[in-house]
Amino acid sequence: MSEGKEIVKLKGSKVLLKGFIPEVGEVAPDFTFVQADMNEKSLYDFEGLNKILISLPSIDTGICALETKKFNEAIANIDNVVCLAVSKDLPFALKRFCGSEGIENLKAVSDFRYSDFANEYNLEMVNSPLKMLLARAVFVLDKENRIHYVELVEDITYEPDYDKALAALAKLK
């Protein structure tokens, strides 16, 4: 494994990421994504809202689906927040999943077109059977896009710590 890069695991096996992920206290990098309707938007389009960014390998896996559902439920009654579930899945798959699962409170968005999120946040896996997909991570940002919480999930087959992410969000105004 190369030094100077983040490492996670896939069922216990080491997986190298593209580089180091942004840290608490930094301003989150902007990135462009594709929505379910194929239109593009960027993180900074949500200025004035607190944000949760969840990075997923694929919405079509059990843990990613569960994580998306849990965050969707968790933010249902929280004002002034947007939750973006980012994966490299095609917008068609995201639209199908959200429609069939009743996901209405978060936005499942795709990084397939530019890999902007993967590049800016260094979450792309560079080896393993899931090479080129995103590792599992959670970021909580304030209205000015300053990062207040980061979790790079140790093994991508594990769920994130929802309570810690939501506690960090609750501290924001």
Side-chain angles (χ1 to χ4, degrees):
M1 295 285 147
S2 175
E3 261 186 67
K5 298 186 181 192
E6 301 278 4
I7 296 173
V8 294
K9 294 177 182 170
L10 172 61
K11 297 181 179 178
S13 296
K14 288 185 179 182
V15 177
L16 184 65
L17 302 187
K18 201 167 201 168
F20 288 108
I21 66 171
E23 297 179 358
V24 169
E26 294 179 12
V27 173
D30 196 12
F31 62 95
T32 299
F33 55 84
V34 181
Q35 303 176 104
D37 63 4
M38 298 302 288
N39 287 312
E40 294 177 3
K41 214 164 189 164
S42 83
L43 174 67
Y44 286 10
D45 289 336
F46 297 101
E47 202 71 40
L49 293 173
N50 294 318
K51 298 154 198 81
I52 300 175
L53 306 180
I54 59 175
S55 174
L56 308 168
S58 176
I59 201 84
D60 282 323
T61 65
I63 299 300
C64 295
L66 182 62
E67 181 180 357
T68 302
K69 292 176 201 175
K70 285 186 176 182
F71 273 112
N72 181 64
E73 291 172 18
I75 65 162
N77 297 312
I78 301 175
D79 293 327
N80 296 321
V81 67
V82 64
C83 183
L84 301 177
V86 186
S87 71
K88 292 227 180 167
D89 291 310
L90 293 176
F92 315 112
L94 297 172
K95 185 176 183 177
R96 174 193 43 77
F97 175 83
C98 290
S100 69
E101 296 296 332
I103 305 294
E104 298 175 345
N105 304 313
L106 67 69
K107 299 177 184 305
V109 299
S110 179
D111 196 38
F112 90 99
R113 189 171 285 159
Y114 303 114
S115 292
D116 229 14
F117 183 75
N119 292 326
E120 292 295 333
Y121 289 73
N122 289 316
L123 284 162
E124 185 175 285
M125 293 181 270
V126 298
N127 65 330
S128 88
L130 299 181
K131 182 178 180 176
M132 304 285 297
L133 296 181
L134 301 173
R136 188 176 315 284
V138 179
F139 299 86
V140 175
L141 318 176
D142 66 19
K143 294 173 184 174
E144 290 79 36
N145 299 311
R146 185 151 314 273
I147 301 170
H148 287 262
Y149 174 82
V150 175
E151 180 185 8
L152 178 59
V153 180
E154 176 185 359
D155 190 305
I156 63 169
T157 61
Y158 299 167
E159 291 178 73
D161 190 327
Y162 303 103
D163 292 337
K164 284 185 180 177
L166 294 169
L169 178 66
K171 291 179 183 175
L172 302 178
K173 296 184 188 231

